[in-house]
Amino acid sequence: MPDTPTVSDLAAGLDRTLVLGGGGEYYVAWYCGFFHGLLELGFDPTIADMVVGTSAGSYAGSSLLSGRFLQLRSEFDFLGRFPELFAKLAPVAAPNASQKRAQEINFAVKDGDPETIRAIGHAALAADNHLNGDGVERLAWLLTGDSRTEWPTPKMFTTSNDCYTGERLVVHQSVARRNNIPLAHACAASSSLPGLIGPTLLGQRFGMDGGISKSWAHTDVVAGSKRALIITLTNGYEGSLLSGIPHDIHKEIAALEAVGTKAMLIIAGTPPGVNLLDPKQISPALYAGYERAKVEAPKIAAFWA
């Protein structure tokens, strides 16, 4: 992420863009409920010219743009059976000693400098993560379809970080085809939380969670577009909730506006004490997102009109 406001080569000249931040299983479910509600109210978020997804947002955006989300809505009782299926496919095992070490390093950091990201990435590489690998594969299959599927839409951009160099990795259709990266693998990398999941191989590089960054949701990727709708779990004042790196989403929005991008921010929020990785929270999160859609749909429609 650039230190000064800069127009993104990926978004320059685009009209509507959508940025979806991360937040564990809770936020994946919240997004599912939110998009279900928007579609039910007659608003289609796929009119966005570009979607940038980080962690949970990468799953939500990819599922939406690939058509998988519409398929799931037609196949399941979305507010009934879907939460149970989701919870069964995404269990999280208790961390082992090496995973705990990576988690401790991730939460102990105080900044998002490159050397900090590298330190977290190296700890992630050193952790024995076999316990949760199958769960990630199941979740990727559920939300994006078969993991072998080619990148289905040029609109989708996922974010992650190279564990070795600390460099941000933005994956989109041309990059994916050049490096043989399926959509599900890019989403898995974007949500590979150090000490719990992954890292995930992207071409020749191991990627970890895109939220392990000084940027809350990588909003700079859409800088230069006309209108950016940004949806995040928190404002970032208390950190990312899944890392010790401090964030402030309002500073990111100010940087967007400095290059002429008009921004609308929706902060999802979470009930106090909620474990973002607890499958038991999937059903409440789904309903919370669904109800929130009723409030935000008219505002979004007016913003993107």
Side-chain angles (χ1 to χ4, degrees):
M1 178 179 179
D3 292 326
T4 57
T6 306
V7 172
S8 167
D9 291 339
L10 300 173
L14 297 181
D15 186 354
R16 306 177 184 91
T17 55
L18 175 61
V19 178
L20 306 175
E25 278 91 339
Y26 179 93
Y27 205 23
V28 176
W30 189 95
Y31 277 131
C32 288
F34 186 72
F35 289 140
H36 175 56
L38 290 183
L39 290 165
E40 193 173 81
L41 291 167
F43 182 81
D44 184 0
T46 65
I47 65 172
D49 300 308
M50 176 185 192
V51 177
V52 177
T54 297
S55 196
S58 71
Y59 279 119
S62 296
S63 182
L64 193 68
L65 291 179
S66 69
R68 176 65 170 169
F69 187 72
L70 297 177
Q71 180 185 2
L72 291 171
R73 287 181 73 237
S74 65
E75 290 181 352
F76 296 103
D77 173 5
F78 207 75
L79 296 175
R81 186 184 168 207
F82 182 73
E84 179 183 359
L85 174 65
F86 191 161
K88 286 181 178 179
L89 288 174
V92 176
N96 56 37
S98 67
Q99 290 175 309
K100 288 181 180 178
R101 181 177 63 245
Q103 289 177 339
E104 289 169 357
I105 293 173
N106 178 31
F107 281 103
V109 300
K110 303 299 182 183
D111 60 60
D113 294 341
E115 57 269 25
T116 299
I117 305 299
R118 286 195 293 271
I120 298 173
H122 294 173
L125 287 169
D128 179 0
N129 291 287
H130 72 279
L131 290 174
N132 295 305
D134 290 343
V136 175
E137 288 294 327
R138 289 193 295 268
L139 183 59
W141 176 86
L142 171 68
L143 295 174
T144 63
D146 192 317
S147 63
R148 295 183 298 274
T149 300
E150 187 185 67
W151 207 273
T153 170
K155 292 184 177 183
M156 188 65 212
F157 294 71
T158 67
T159 68
S160 61
N161 295 287
D162 186 307
C163 289
Y164 184 71
T165 67
E167 177 187 0
R168 179 172 68 182
L169 305 175
V170 179
V171 184
H172 48 91
Q173 191 178 68
S174 61
V175 171
R177 287 177 174 174
R178 191 163 61 246
N179 295 280
N180 194 30
I181 301 173
L183 179 61
H185 287 189
C187 292
S190 186
S191 60
S192 290
L193 186 64
L196 190 67
I197 301 168
T200 300
L201 190 62
L202 294 175
Q204 301 298 313
R205 309 172 79 170
F206 280 102
M208 67 175 174
D209 198 305
I212 310 301
S213 168
K214 65 179 179 180
S215 172
W216 176 249
H218 301 279
T219 53
D220 62 295
V221 178
V222 303
S225 61
K226 182 178 178 181
R227 295 170 286 184
L229 172 62
I230 301 163
I231 310 177
T232 62
L233 186 63
T234 77
N235 58 20
Y237 295 146
E238 304 301 325
S240 69
L241 303 181
L242 294 174
S243 173
I245 300 174
H247 301 88
D248 185 343
I249 189 63
H250 295 291
K251 289 184 178 179
E252 295 191 37
I253 290 178
L256 285 179
E257 294 176 342
V259 296
T261 297
K262 185 178 180 181
M264 173 182 175
L265 174 64
I266 295 174
I267 298 176
T270 57
V274 165
N275 180 352
L276 299 178
L277 303 176
D278 184 359
K280 294 179 182 178
Q281 299 297 331
I282 289 173
S283 184
L286 190 76
Y287 275 93
Y290 179 72
E291 292 300 320
R292 186 63 176 275
K294 299 175 183 178
V295 176
E296 303 294 348
K299 302 175 188 177
I300 298 172
F303 179 69
W304 269 357

